[in-house]
Amino acid sequence: MIELERVTKIYPGTSMPAVDNIDLEVPQGEICILIGSSGCGKTTLMRMINRLEPITSGSIKIEGRNVMDMDLIELRRGIGYAIQQTGLFPHMTVAENIMVVPRLLGWDRKRMDDRVDELLKLVNMEPAVYKNRYPRELSGGQAQRIGVTRAMAADPPVMLMDEPFGAIDPINREVLQDEFLKIQAKLKKTIVFVTHDIHEAVKMGDKIALLDAGRLIQYGSPEDLLTRPKNQFVKDFVGADRALKRLDLLKVKDAMMKDPVRCSTDDPSEKIFEHMLAHDLNFLLVTEPGSMFKGYVNIDMLRGHKGIVGDIVHPMTITVRPDQNLKDALSKMLTYDLGIVVAVNEQGQLEGVLNSRTLISVVGETYDETGGHWGKITTGGRVI
Ligand SMILES: Nc1ncnc2c1ncn2[C@@H]1O[C@H](COP(=O)(O)OP(=O)(O)OP(=O)(O)O)[C@@H](O)[C@H]1O
């Protein structure tokens, strides 16, 4: 846990505090987002945690220990630090960059090599391909991945991340965010994460701290800020399209129809054709016995077919995961012009189906602008 108590920073030669009397608690294993307009004090606040900036007054404790009482080297070893500009050393290879802190800690060669491979695999970069490259031989997204892995190299319990995905185009940014959240779900670091982007904040944050002119305006879960903005400033900051932002918060599994009607690859086509006619269905999902998702059949494909469904099933390559957010699902549906999108789990098994009508009703019905209350989503929609 990181505890900030009445933390204030006044830069020498200035009179207005850059950080003004902030109390904040970041629980163990959570991501706390610092957000606010340019100059509101986010970076200053973060840099006081690892003492890159001296604290003017107040106290910062990590696991109950005041950072000012800790040996500086020991403090920084326990805190990974990733920044937007990545800070990679241009004359060092990827592997050497990742190993900066472990080398200082005196790790042996084998342990360092293993760690480089492990971390590169974690961020989906093939070690054999990338570890001997120099930063100039990486794309912007790859360099940011390396910046983040470097911060994680010595497995610090605390990470400070200052717009770590800031310089990346929106599509790769989503990919990096998803990767990072997956890693975080396993590693459970305590993270302070600065961003300018409210979508990123809502997606990544367990808690969001909204700052203005050095002061903490509201601190709470993304849900809190979106649904119970404390004042007009917060409302304006989170924006008028709060209903849409809620798509960042809700997961596919919250809105999908679970356990949808399906047939099996070993079902006879004629029997399924009759069944679909009888139930007025023209489209049916197909799984293997054991529920591995295979694709779909429609009534025209089945008409006159003598074999089994598995012979003619049409694959559906665009799918979502139940724990992806609804915004990702909507974006896939719009990009590929799909009326429905199927949710499959990591093993490829069919878990549910989401249709565009359900999605739209989630956005439309769950927020009552006048009362400002969110309704409950209780059901997915019927698909077939
Ligand atoms: N070294 C410094 N000396 C004097 N003032 C500073 C210094 N660094 C930052 N400031 C001021 O402190 C305030 C907070 O700056 P800080 O960089 O923490 O804001 P920020 O929220 O991270 O901004 P941005 O989003 O633009 O990065 C600003 O008014 C800035 O001008």
Side-chain angles (χ1 to χ4, degrees):
M1 175 154 79
I2 307 175
E3 295 163 275
L4 279 71
E5 222 181 281
R6 297 198 305 277
V7 171
T8 295
K9 170 76 185 181
I10 302 174
Y11 281 106
T14 64
S15 52
M16 289 285 288
V19 168
D20 193 358
N21 208 23
I22 286 190
D23 287 311
L24 192 72
E25 251 182 51
V26 185
Q28 180 78 31
E30 289 198 357
I31 300 181
C32 166
I33 304 281
L34 301 181
I35 194 167
S37 40
S38 186
C40 69
K42 306 179 287 292
T43 299
T44 303
L45 185 57
M46 175 173 271
R47 287 164 62 89
M48 284 191 285
I49 298 174
N50 61 358
R51 283 174 53 194
L52 282 169
E53 285 298 341
I55 305 165
T56 307
S57 63
S59 75
I60 299 180
K61 290 184 191 152
I62 298 179
E63 299 307 324
R65 293 176 67 196
N66 193 321
V67 295
M68 296 311 293
D69 299 337
M70 291 169 76
D71 172 64
L72 191 59
I73 311 260
E74 183 203 358
L75 171 75
R76 299 223 179 121
R77 272 180 195 166
I79 301 180
Y81 186 45
I83 54 174
Q84 177 174 348
Q85 305 77 5
T86 75
L88 297 180
F89 298 114
H91 57 286
M92 289 186 186
T93 63
V94 163
E96 287 164 348
N97 265 289
I98 296 175
M99 285 306 102
V100 166
V101 177
R103 189 172 295 120
L104 289 174
L105 295 175
W107 289 20
D108 65 42
R109 186 79 248 163
K110 162 110 180 60
R111 187 173 172 204
M112 290 204 284
D113 286 345
D114 290 349
R115 184 68 175 149
V116 167
D117 288 2
E118 182 188 21
L119 285 167
L120 286 174
K121 282 185 197 144
L122 203 62
V123 294
N124 286 327
M125 289 173 70
E126 181 49 45
V129 176
Y130 291 104
K131 66 180 173 190
N132 294 319
R133 287 202 187 176
Y134 286 89
R136 64 173 182 278
E137 297 166 329
L138 301 174
S139 73
Q142 289 164 347
Q144 296 227 292
R145 282 183 166 90
I146 302 303
V148 171
T149 53
R150 186 175 62 174
M152 295 164 69
D155 202 19
V158 172
M159 305 242 317
L160 305 180
M161 307 181 75
D162 197 345
E163 299 202 61
F165 313 133
I168 303 292
D169 64 90
I171 292 175
N172 279 309
R173 196 169 187 181
E174 291 272 346
V175 173
L176 281 183
Q177 290 167 344
D178 290 338
E179 271 172 17
F180 189 75
L181 285 176
K182 262 194 212 155
I183 297 170
Q184 167 65 358
K186 282 190 218 140
L187 301 184
K188 291 274 171 221
K189 307 265 177 209
T190 306
I191 298 172
V192 180
F193 187 114
V194 166
T195 181
H196 273 103
D197 174 358
I198 182 74
H199 282 289
E200 184 164 72
V202 168
K203 178 171 176 179
M204 306 288 290
D206 294 300
K207 300 254 168 45
I208 299 177
L210 176 57
L211 308 184
D212 182 40
R215 293 209 191 91
L216 181 61
I217 306 299
Q218 186 166 355
Y219 185 48
S221 67
E223 190 91 12
D224 276 339
L225 267 80
L226 290 174
T227 61
R228 290 176 286 279
K230 199 168 154 186
N231 56 27
Q232 193 59 40
F233 176 82
V234 183
K235 261 190 201 167
D236 292 343
F237 194 89
V238 298
D241 59 342
R242 274 180 289 158
L244 279 175
K245 291 200 182 82
R246 194 162 148 90
L247 287 178
D248 286 325
L249 271 182
L250 291 168
K251 305 279 185 215
V252 167
K253 63 184 174 212
D254 298 325
M256 71 187 185
M257 185 179 72
K258 296 194 177 71
D259 218 10
V261 185
R262 85 280 303 268
C263 64
S264 168
T265 45
D266 57 5
D267 284 330
S269 297
E270 280 177 308
K271 183 183 123 198
I272 297 302
F273 180 71
E274 297 299 327
H275 179 85
M276 288 173 75
L277 274 187
H279 292 85
D280 200 19
L281 304 172
N282 53 34
F283 170 92
L284 197 56
L285 298 175
V286 181
T287 58
E288 279 176 350
S291 78
M292 286 298 283
F293 179 58
K294 294 309 286 180
Y296 71 92
V297 283
N298 64 31
I299 199 94
D300 293 330
M301 292 157 71
L302 289 165
R303 185 173 286 117
H305 187 255
K306 297 291 178 217
I308 54 170
V309 169
D311 298 336
I312 50 167
V313 58
H314 201 286
M316 274 174 111
T317 47
I318 311 298
T319 56
V320 289
R321 291 271 151 81
D323 55 4
Q324 275 188 288
N325 66 37
L326 288 184
K327 197 179 112 202
D328 296 340
L330 179 63
S331 129
K332 280 201 172 159
M333 288 164 106
L334 294 174
T335 308
Y336 299 101
D337 197 19
L338 306 172
I340 66 161
V341 65
V342 173
V344 298
N345 63 20
E346 302 250 347
Q347 290 76 43
Q349 292 162 325
L350 174 63
E351 296 245 325
V353 162
L354 193 66
N355 69 7
S356 51
R357 232 172 328 130
T358 317
L359 254 176
I360 289 164
S361 67
V362 165
V363 180
E365 286 169 13
T366 56
Y367 189 69
D368 157 18
E369 263 299 336
T370 45
H373 295 297
W374 297 94
K376 249 201 155 53
I377 295 159
T378 50
T379 163
R382 262 192 69 75
V383 180
I384 45 182

